[in-house]
Amino acid sequence: MAQSYKSLKEDFVSNLSGGGIWEINHVTAVAPAAVFLWSTLQSRQDLFSNAGSLPVLTDCLLNVGAILAATTIYSSSPGVLNLLLLLPATALYLSPSTSRTRQKRPAHPAPINEQHNEGKEQNELGPLPERPFITHYRGSMMVVTCIAILAVDFKVFPRRFAKVETWGTSLMDMGVGSFVFSAGLVSARPVLKARAAGTRSSVGDSMKAALRHSLPLLALGLIRLYSVKGMDYAEHVSEYGVHWNFFFTLALLPPFVAFVHFLPTRLISIDTIALLLSCTFQAVLDSTSVTPYILTAPRQNLLSQNREGLVSIWGYLSMFLVGQAVGLDILPRSRSRISRSIFGLQSSRSLLTRLLTWSLWYSVLLFLVISYTTLGLQVSRRLANLPYVLWVSAFNCAQLALFCAVETVAFPGLYSITDARTENQRCKRVTSQVLAAFNRNGLALFLLANLLTGLVNLSTDTLQASEGRAMATLCAYAITLSVVAVILHRKNISIKM
């Protein structure tokens, strides 16, 4: 890559100030709106129960195409796109159902995702039911993330959606945090299984398991580092540092999380630990020279060269723990075995009400810390500071609530089934195959998306590409990812990393 072109590429994604939180909410609302249309088509027309290509293409058009459109050609008018999705969905919902009343045999034998019960062979309901709305939430988040990492290199993707330099909010900043939050959400499953079985691993065993999760991520980080440096690829140094990348951040999380679980979590809840950790880190940022060091210090040694990645781990750890706390609250079938949540408060309220409570709680905290009448802090993904943690937490809880609301409206009584086999069949029927596929092999698809992004950037002048060429490239890229995801899903292949 020529030096001048590399500089142009770096300048294209540098020194950006982002956009408003409400615009990000409007753009990302397209995902639950698309799932609502998918759900009404399924509940009223039974459109996606067949094994043909048309249902899969329609699924992809709705749940991948809509997100691609929202971040590119509809980026200036996401409300119009939301209406285009919600109006037919509402009309279908209010129309009489034409789907067959008998339960169809699921078209694809592959399990939904990691949420699948290990004890499905038995007909007794397990303690951890499948939650299709979580599959939709995680799958949509993965689609947004994969689309954005290539789209950001084209002018059709607004600069206000790209990662900010230091202070501010953007769609891609939210994508990074949401990736970590959603990982924490599903990490609650093994914790709940261990509690249900009455087992507790030793410190040594837990750390060994954490390292087994970390090593593949560390290897991916090293591969990415070697590729970027070896090909002289354009890079945004202030994002994580000279050598650091997101895979290294993900690799560091499991050992820290394992350590947290040996704290007295029956006396202090996981979300309380997360909030205390983030508040302590914010106090350090405000009362010491850490913030000036991160933002302005010369990069003279290995530590200073990678200071953003090393310091921000505390914020990402907090997000992961908040996600896990939410998972501990909403994943179990019965809440009688759950540890305390939201500062120890227990409740028998519905899933939707509990998710709205989580969202309201973190939204209020976010307002308090960013309001000029109180603390007046600014959101910073680069620092992963307290406002960033609260924003990511509030947003993801709200997204979960939206997907849960769609499921509740479109498929009422889903969790009233009394045997595991019927529940499994029903959950497959009400789950988008494309989103289930993205959810199932999310990290592997994220890696593939990074490889394809590099290939496109090395072979195409993305800065000079017209809107038509950019959209054609992005459509081909999105289709490629979707095809790979669906093939892996249909062949019952889960790539664990």
Side-chain angles (χ1 to χ4, degrees), residues 26-102:
H26 291 155
V27 171
T28 53
V30 167
V35 169
F36 183 39
L37 180 52
W38 182 96
S39 299
T40 53
L41 285 168
Q42 178 67 344
S43 63
R44 294 298 186 267
Q45 306 292 329
D46 214 17
L47 180 63
F48 302 100
S49 295
N50 297 321
S53 58
L54 181 59
V56 177
L57 288 173
T58 307
D59 192 346
C60 185
L61 179 63
L62 286 176
N63 291 306
V64 179
I67 291 173
L68 175 58
T71 54
T72 52
I73 55 177
Y74 276 93
S75 59
S76 298
S77 52
V80 174
L81 183 56
N82 277 305
L83 283 176
L84 291 174
L85 294 168
L86 291 174
L87 288 178
T90 304
L92 273 170
Y93 176 74
L94 296 175
S95 66
S97 174
T98 60
S99 63
R100 290 182 287 275
T101 55
R102 70 180 180 87

Side-chain angles (χ1 to χ4, degrees), residues 325-374:
V326 175
L328 292 172
D329 187 42
I330 68 173
L331 289 179
R333 189 181 305 278
S334 170
R335 306 188 70 239
S336 59
R337 300 176 184 175
I338 313 172
S339 65
R340 297 177 304 159
S341 58
I342 308 186
F343 290 101
L345 298 178
Q346 289 272 12
S347 172
S348 59
R349 291 167 295 180
S350 68
L351 272 175
L352 180 56
T353 306
R354 298 204 304 271
L355 283 168
L356 289 172
T357 302
W358 281 104
S359 178
L360 178 62
W361 168 243
Y362 284 109
S363 297
V364 170
L365 290 180
L366 174 63
F367 174 78
L368 290 175
V369 301
I370 66 175
S371 173
Y372 287 109
T373 59
T374 51

Side-chain angles (χ1 to χ4, degrees), residues 193-204:
K193 287 180 180 179
R195 290 181 183 179
T199 60
R200 183 178 176 86
S201 301
S202 66
V203 176

Side-chain angles (χ1 to χ4, degrees), residues 33-196:
V35 169
F36 183 39
L37 180 52
W38 182 96
S39 299
T40 53
L41 285 168
Q42 178 67 344
S43 63
R44 294 298 186 267
Q45 306 292 329
D46 214 17
L47 180 63
F48 302 100
S49 295
N50 297 321
S53 58
L54 181 59
V56 177
L57 288 173
T58 307
D59 192 346
C60 185
L61 179 63
L62 286 176
N63 291 306
V64 179
I67 291 173
L68 175 58
T71 54
T72 52
I73 55 177
Y74 276 93
S75 59
S76 298
S77 52
V80 174
L81 183 56
N82 277 305
L83 283 176
L84 291 174
L85 294 168
L86 291 174
L87 288 178
T90 304
L92 273 170
Y93 176 74
L94 296 175
S95 66
S97 174
T98 60
S99 63
R100 290 182 287 275
T101 55
R102 70 180 180 87
Q103 181 67 44
K104 292 189 59 151
R105 182 179 179 182
H108 308 292
I112 284 183
N113 49 31
E114 295 87 351
Q115 298 179 57
H116 189 61
N117 284 326
E118 292 182 354
K120 69 180 188 304
E121 296 297 334
Q122 303 174 358
N123 212 29
E124 291 185 8
L125 290 171
L128 300 178
E130 297 173 2
R131 302 284 194 203
F133 77 89
I134 294 180
T135 300
H136 289 154
Y137 152 76
R138 281 173 49 85
S140 296
M141 181 274 301
M142 202 67 243
V143 171
V144 175
T145 301
C146 290
I147 286 175
I149 61 176
L150 175 59
V152 70
D153 295 316
F154 292 94
K155 293 181 179 178
V156 72
F157 187 86
R159 293 302 86 197
R160 64 185 182 277
F161 288 177
K163 292 176 182 175
V164 303
E165 188 68 20
T166 302
W167 309 106
T169 57
S170 76
L171 180 67
M172 291 192 72
D173 289 332
M174 176 52 68
V176 175
S178 296
F179 197 101
V180 174
F181 182 98
S182 68
L185 182 74
V186 295
S187 75
R189 289 188 65 81
V191 176
L192 289 165
K193 287 180 180 179
R195 290 181 183 179

